[in-house]
Amino acid sequence: MEKTWQLALLNWYRENKRDLPWRKTRDPYAIWVSEIMLQQTRVDTVIPYYERFLALFPDIQALSGAPIENVYKAWEGLGYYSRARNLQRGAQTVLERFDGAMPREAALLQKIPGIGEYTAGAISSIAFDQPACAVDGNVMRVGARLYADEQDIALPATKKYWQKEALGWIPQGQAGDFNQSLMELGALVCLPRGAKCPDCPVRQWCRAFETGQVEALPVKSAKAKPKVECYRVLALVDEKERVLFCRRPEDGLLGGLWLLPMLARGEDVESYIASLGLTALERLPLGRARHVFTHLVWEMEGELIYVRGGGSLPQGGAWVEKGGWQALALPGAQAKLVRALEEALC
Ligand code: SF4
């Protein structure tokens, strides 16, 4: 099959690609780090994190052996911390199961924690030029428009369809650049809204452009609304101006990170304080904060409570000296409330 649009796209990519740090390497570990960081995160945000992370953990050995706290700290502000935890677990798996060398094939890469189909395809093609595809929403959008395809891209079956198609698009021996050219087209030209068709290198092959369906494609059914959870966030300050923080269990949302204690709606603040052997001296409002995760929203109402006494600590709890929490891995979810706490204490 003659791959006309594919070659036009490749040429355009080679002349116009953005100068990004992970495009200067074929090191599969570095490409892996970049791919994980780029999930749900903008390129401009990722660049400094990527460079710092690789300076701190330059290879699989360094990441495997690092204290998880240091890994979280390097990730702080990027969000979706399970990615950092899985990256380290993945590095440990590469050491244990693959003698420290990343496998070349996408199917083997998927056996590593945190590496799904897309990331496996990206690493296999970009680092090793293996004929693997890397299909995400961007690539499906480009495909749906190029072929004026009306399948719903929210459906798993549609993704399977595009994975099969995309595998057939790859010009021989050029999987890495080709996959990146598709990603680049989706990121810079074939945008979800306001596609820049006049600048598009594959416009002459694009059926959606030809038939005036660009804005109508791809078809995507609406997602379910995220669940909203309401919490009261307590900044308990003792007589030595120490603040109680709790480390979340390793598994689950924000696993291993430190947060101010949170009570779900319906839990009683006074009883919680009493359960720790504390007495509240003064209670002050600390403001509200909202944090949006992928499928979940936290609505938080903060309270600053001066306490005295003490006895038992909640699970994962520790009293932290004033300002000492800056050395802890704190998630962005409570950043606004922690800032309000710092202002109130200074
Ligand atoms: Fe996308 Fe427009 Fe290019 Fe078609 S012509 S691939 S719709 S940017």
Side-chain angles (χ1 to χ4, degrees):
M1 183 180 91
E2 206 176 328
K3 294 189 163 146
T4 37
W5 70 260
Q6 291 89 334
L7 296 178
L9 181 58
L10 258 180
N11 286 338
W12 168 83
Y13 172 72
R14 287 177 177 147
E15 279 165 27
N16 297 285
K17 66 180 175 187
R18 287 170 293 176
D19 182 23
L20 302 173
W22 45 88
R23 290 195 174 147
K24 298 190 176 90
T25 178
R26 300 291 293 267
D27 174 6
Y29 165 71
I31 290 164
W32 178 19
V33 171
S34 74
E35 287 295 334
I36 299 295
M37 286 188 170
L38 286 165
Q39 291 168 7
Q40 329 267 1
T41 313
R42 292 163 48 88
V43 165
D44 294 350
T45 309
V46 165
I47 292 172
Y49 279 94
Y50 169 83
E51 289 177 334
R52 206 164 48 233
F53 196 89
L54 283 184
L56 285 169
F57 315 112
D59 51 33
I60 286 183
Q61 284 76 5
L63 179 60
S64 298
I68 186 68
E69 283 294 322
N70 297 4
V71 180
Y72 286 143
K73 197 68 199 156
W75 206 268
E76 194 176 292
L78 261 184
Y80 303 96
Y81 287 82
S82 56
R83 296 183 297 172
R85 189 169 66 233
N86 283 335
L87 200 51
Q88 189 185 45
R89 280 190 195 150
Q92 289 160 349
T93 305
V94 173
L95 268 190
E96 286 156 18
R97 291 190 51 188
F98 299 101
D99 265 346
M102 301 270 298
R104 300 163 66 89
E105 295 78 24
L108 283 179
L109 284 162
Q110 279 189 61
K111 297 196 183 298
I112 298 168
I115 299 190
E117 269 180 338
Y118 175 87
T119 310
I123 298 170
S124 177
S125 60
I126 298 170
F128 302 111
D129 258 329
Q130 293 287 299
C133 63
V135 172
D136 64 356
N138 275 323
V139 172
M140 287 196 281
R141 180 172 65 254
V142 172
R145 286 174 174 171
L146 267 172
Y147 292 96
D149 187 289
E150 293 181 359
Q151 295 177 81
D152 180 356
I153 64 164
L155 299 177
T158 308
K159 188 165 192 183
K160 286 259 170 294
Y161 171 83
W162 286 117
Q163 282 168 332
K164 200 158 161 246
E165 287 295 299
L167 207 53
W169 295 340
I170 300 171
Q172 189 153 14
Q174 306 189 74
D177 273 3
F178 179 71
N179 284 343
Q180 291 187 86
S181 73
L182 271 176
M183 296 171 196
E184 196 79 338
L185 188 73
L188 300 183
V189 181
C190 195
L191 304 171
R193 267 175 292 281
K196 298 177 180 169
C197 302
D199 302 332
C200 180
V202 294
R203 191 184 60 214
Q204 70 184 97
W205 295 277
C206 180
R207 304 237 7 237
F209 180 74
E210 194 187 316
T211 55
Q213 290 177 277
V214 173
E215 291 299 318
L217 290 171
V219 173
K220 187 177 182 190
S221 55
K223 268 201 225 158
K225 273 195 169 178
K227 190 174 153 208
V228 178
E229 292 180 351
C230 301
Y231 292 102
R232 193 169 286 264
V233 176
L234 307 182
L236 302 181
V237 182
D238 75 359
E239 292 140 309
K240 297 179 193 156
E241 283 213 311
R242 298 178 308 174
V243 176
L244 182 66
F245 279 85
C246 297
R247 188 166 190 265
R248 311 259 299 179
E250 276 301 331
D251 287 308
L253 186 66
L254 304 181
L257 302 186
W258 292 84
L259 279 96
L260 294 166
M262 295 176 36
L263 300 190
R265 193 203 295 261
E267 283 185 84
D268 181 56
V269 176
E270 293 288 343
S271 315
Y272 176 75
I273 292 173
S275 75
L276 303 178
L278 298 167
T279 311
L281 302 175
E282 191 182 4
R283 292 174 60 170
L284 302 165
L286 201 57
R288 290 172 177 274
R290 185 168 198 271
H291 191 77
V292 181
F293 299 95
T294 319
H295 307 292
L296 184 67
V297 177
W298 279 2
E299 297 280 4
M300 293 168 283
E301 190 175 346
E303 207 176 323
L304 171 60
I305 308 180
Y306 290 96
V307 294
R308 71 157 179 248
S312 50
L313 281 168
Q315 198 187 2
W319 289 100
V320 182
E321 300 289 336
K322 185 172 159 185
W325 48 82
Q326 277 150 11
L328 302 176
L330 305 174
Q334 284 190 349
K336 190 176 163 196
L337 294 174
V338 172
R339 270 200 307 277
L341 165 71
E342 285 166 348
E343 277 166 25
L345 293 184
C346 70

